Amino acid sequence: MHILINITPEAQLSWPHLTTLIEEIKSQRFKNLSLNLQLPLTQHLSIEQRVTASNWSLSVNQPPLISADYLINLRETDHLLPGALLQWHSLAALHPQAIISLASFDNSHSPSDQIHDYLNHHQANSLQTTFSALAGPVTSSTVLWSLQKYTILPDLPSSHQLAQQLQPTGVLLPVSLLQSEYPLVSLNQTLSAFQSAAEVVRLCVPTFITQSWAATTPLAWLEQLQTVDVTGLDTAWQPLFTHYLQHQLTLILATTTTHRLTPAEHIRLLQQVQQLTSKPVHPWTRLALLQHISPQLAHLLFH
């Protein structure tokens, strides 16, 4: 199986974060791999950075899809856990051409603490003891391998399952399911693939670390949600996606209270949500707004 990792910045590219991610990928020594950096048209690499990218065999804005079996979009702030690529490969070998939904740890919290808590929660699982006995001294991240399991998801997922799957980044998509009319890094691309996939499997134990789009880029995530034409979805998916959209709007409004948005960005976001046909599950009121933003912002929004 050949995997294309397409790396896209959250906003302005962080070269130190990109360097760390590339080092994590290279350390896994996975041979059937291509790397591409999907830079926005407004961003450019320096000459020195282009030389380094060439040494990494990292193409820029030229994803070589022809030779790839699977595409995964990642942000440069994401992190791969040891052995992630081999685990993805082994699951794809068991279920060729299936979409592989990946569990993740949260980038906003300490990864070591999350792994420690996860292993403690599953300490009664005898597989941990067996793995340690066979493998000898191991790190806490590699012990996660012993707990790996996957599930085959139903044809029509629940709204909760969609919240785990419908992200532009962090899901392994068969290249054969990609649609040329959609950007590779887009909710529409992921949603289109899920509608037409013959099978979707979920790798349950986290193999990478990321953070939700609603938390890191609420405006960008809202724009992604707005690009989806609900009437163009399969009939069974229309109410499912509408319910998912409502929950995502609630999540965006909840996370932006602590996110560093400028006053203008905050007003823009609230106005866009207000104008949508689908409303958040828990609609916000003028009083609720005053609890989260300044009276000046609430006045500008409603008057």
Side-chain angles (χ1 to χ4, degrees), residues 127-156:
L127 287 173
Q128 276 199 63
T129 306
T130 304
F131 180 80
S132 298
L134 292 174
V138 291
T139 64
S140 59
S141 59
T142 56
V143 175
L144 288 171
W145 297 1
S146 67
L147 300 174
Q148 278 296 357
K149 64 176 182 177
Y150 73 90
T151 58
I152 300 176
L153 301 179
D155 292 337
L156 198 63

Side-chain angles (χ1 to χ4, degrees), residues 4 65-66 68-71 97 173-179:
L4 167 63
L65 284 172
I66 295 176
D69 300 303
Y70 272 89
L71 162 77
Q97 294 304 301
L173 300 174
V175 169
S176 60
L177 296 182
L178 301 181
Q179 303 297 321

Side-chain angles (χ1 to χ4, degrees), residues 20 56 72 84 87 141 181 184 210 213 223 229 248 256 273:
T20 299
W56 286 337
I72 182 168
Q87 292 177 73
S141 59
E181 64 264 33
L184 292 181
T210 191
W213 280 63
E223 290 172 359
D229 178 12
Q248 288 299 303
T256 52
V273 172

Side-chain angles (χ1 to χ4, degrees), residues 6 43 221 250:
N6 190 46
Q43 297 184 36
W221 184 228
T250 301

Side-chain angles (χ1 to χ4, degrees), residues 155-157 162 195 230 233-242:
D155 292 337
L156 198 63
L162 283 183
Q195 286 185 96
V230 179
L233 301 178
D234 294 343
T235 305
W237 277 78
Q238 291 180 11
L240 184 64
F241 182 80
T242 299

